[in-house]
Amino acid sequence: MNYIDFLNTPRIDQVGIEDRISRITARSIKKEAKMQGLYKILQMIDLTTLEGADTEDKVKQLCFKAHHLHDEIPGLPTTAAVCVYPNFVQLAVNELKGTGVKVASVATAFPSGQSSAAVKILDVKMAVDNGADEVDMVISRGKFHSGEYRFVFDEIAMIKEACGKNVRLKVILETGELGTLDKVRQASDIAMHAGADFIKTSTGKIKPAATLPVTLVMLEAIRDYYCKTGIMIGMKPAGGISSAKLALQYLLMVKETLGGQWLSNTYFRFGASSLANDVLLQIAKQKTGIYQSNDYFSKV
C-alpha cells in the first residue's frame, strides 16, 4: 500500500449504512437459530480485565470463569480468550493451560498509545515473552489526525514484526476518537495493509465504543480487502455490547457482509465481558422457560 492509497480509500454512504442497520435490527430470530447464535457468542467473547486495581486473584477468577461459565448448564463452551495487561500474562497462561482459552494482552501504551516506539516494543516483547497468544495494540490517533498516515502504517508494521509469526495482532482504531465513518474506513485500510490480523473498534475506555454502523464500515473494509488479496482479516467490536439481543444482531451483520466462514472465534470476537452473563441468562431462559437471577452469575 503506497502513500497515495492512504488518501483514496472509498467514501462512506452514511445514509446507506444507517438504512442497512435499521433493516438488520428489525429482524426476528427463530428459537433454534437463536440458541445456536447464543452458544457462538460465548465462544467469541474475550473476557477482559484492564483496570489499575487489577490483582492476581482477580485475574485468576477471570481465567476460571473463561472455562467454567456456569457449571449448572451442561455443554457450555469456553470463551475465546482472556485479555490482561502484560504483567499478568504469565499468570493467565498458567491458569488457562490445557483449556484451549487464548491469552491476549494489550500493549503499545494502552489505552492512549502515547509513548515512544522503544517503550511500545518493550511492552509487546514483555507480553510475547510471557506467552501471550495475541496482542491488542492501539494506533497513534494523534498522528492519524495530523495526517501522518505513513507513521501509523509503519508503527503497525513494526509491532506486527515484534509479535513474531505465531502471535496474532489486533489493531485497535479507537473509533470513538476518529470522528467520521470515512476516517474509520481509512484507518481500517491502513491497519490491514500494515499487517493486522484483526481490526478492533475500541479500547472500551471512551464513549462511544463499538456501534453497529462503525462495525459495518469495518466489515465492508475487510470484505473489500479479502476480495483484493484473498486474506481473511478478523473483526472485534469492543465496548458497549452488553445484551445478547445486540450481539445476535452483530452476528447477523457479519454473516450477511462476510459470510459464514467468519462466524468463528478465529475471525470474530466480542470485547465485552459483561455480555457473557446476559448470554447465560438467555440460554437458561431458553432451556428452562424462566429467567434466573443475576445473583447466580459471577460479576468478574
Side-chain angles (χ1 to χ4, degrees):
M1 188 178 192
N2 56 41
Y3 182 77
I4 201 72
D5 289 329
F6 295 156
L7 301 176
N8 286 280
T9 53
R11 299 298 298 273
I12 303 303
D13 176 2
Q14 186 163 344
V15 173
I17 291 290
E18 291 173 353
D19 178 68
R20 185 156 171 221
I21 295 301
S22 68
R23 285 185 277 116
I24 287 171
T25 55
R27 303 273 186 87
S28 61
I29 302 175
K30 294 181 179 179
K31 182 175 180 179
E32 183 178 347
K34 182 177 181 180
M35 281 295 284
Q36 292 175 352
L38 292 173
Y39 275 78
K40 276 191 177 293
I41 290 165
L42 287 179
Q43 293 175 301
M44 294 171 171
I45 292 174
D46 287 358
L47 288 180
T48 302
T49 184
L50 298 169
E51 303 297 336
D54 284 347
T55 64
E56 289 190 358
D57 282 345
K58 185 178 181 182
V59 172
K60 288 179 180 179
Q61 290 170 7
L62 193 72
C63 290
F64 183 83
K65 181 173 182 175
H67 61 97
H68 292 86
L69 282 166
H70 198 299
D71 289 336
E72 294 181 11
I73 304 177
L76 290 176
T78 67
T79 63
V82 165
C83 186
V84 294
Y85 278 113
N87 53 307
F88 289 114
V89 166
Q90 193 166 49
L91 173 63
V93 168
N94 292 337
E95 293 293 313
L96 293 168
K97 189 175 297 183
T99 66
V101 180
K102 303 290 187 185
V103 176
S105 179
V106 294
T108 64
F110 177 94
S112 70
Q114 296 285 6
S115 191
S116 66
V119 168
K120 291 181 179 183
I121 290 292
L122 285 174
D123 212 18
V124 173
K125 288 293 189 182
M126 181 180 179
V128 172
D129 290 346
N130 285 337
D133 301 294
E134 303 167 355
V135 166
D136 291 26
M137 72 165 287
V138 288
I139 67 167
S140 297
R141 280 89 71 198
K143 295 292 187 181
F144 181 85
H145 284 303
S146 298
E148 296 183 52
Y149 307 122
R150 173 60 67 182
F151 180 98
V152 176
F153 177 96
D154 288 343
E155 185 172 69
I156 295 168
M158 174 186 70
I159 299 302
K160 175 60 180 174
E161 184 177 1
C163 287
K165 294 181 179 179
N166 298 321
V167 175
R168 300 182 79 193
L169 176 64
K170 303 191 200 86
V171 176
I172 305 169
L173 308 183
E174 198 67 294
T175 53
E177 291 184 345
L178 295 186
T180 67
L181 294 179
D182 288 328
K183 293 293 186 181
V184 170
R185 174 61 192 246
Q186 187 178 27
S188 298
D189 286 346
I190 291 172
M192 290 187 293
H193 282 86
D197 298 298
F198 268 77
I199 51 176
K200 176 178 171 181
T201 59
S202 321
T203 62
K205 300 298 185 182
I206 70 158
K207 294 182 180 180
T211 66
L212 286 166
V214 159
T215 301
L216 179 54
V217 169
M218 294 171 71
L219 291 173
E220 290 181 344
I222 290 170
R223 179 197 62 201
D224 293 347
Y225 184 80
Y226 176 72
C227 290
K228 291 178 182 178
T229 67
I231 299 171
M232 292 176 67
I233 303 296
M235 174 68 205
K236 181 178 174 180
I241 307 169
S242 59
S243 75
K245 180 180 179 180
L246 179 57
L248 287 167
Q249 292 169 352
Y250 274 89
L251 289 192
L252 180 60
M253 189 166 64
V254 172
K255 174 77 178 296
E256 293 191 350
T257 307
L258 296 176
Q261 58 187 332
W262 263 268
L263 289 179
S264 76
N265 61 22
T266 303
Y267 292 105
F268 190 77
R269 301 281 182 85
F270 289 103
S273 291
S274 61
L275 173 62
N277 282 1
D278 193 59
V279 174
L280 292 170
L281 283 169
Q282 297 302 323
I283 289 174
K285 169 63 165 60
Q286 294 294 320
K287 286 181 175 291
T288 67
I290 58 175
Y291 279 111
Q292 294 190 21
S293 167
N294 277 314
D295 294 335
Y296 288 102
F297 298 93
S298 165
K299 300 299 189 295
V300 175

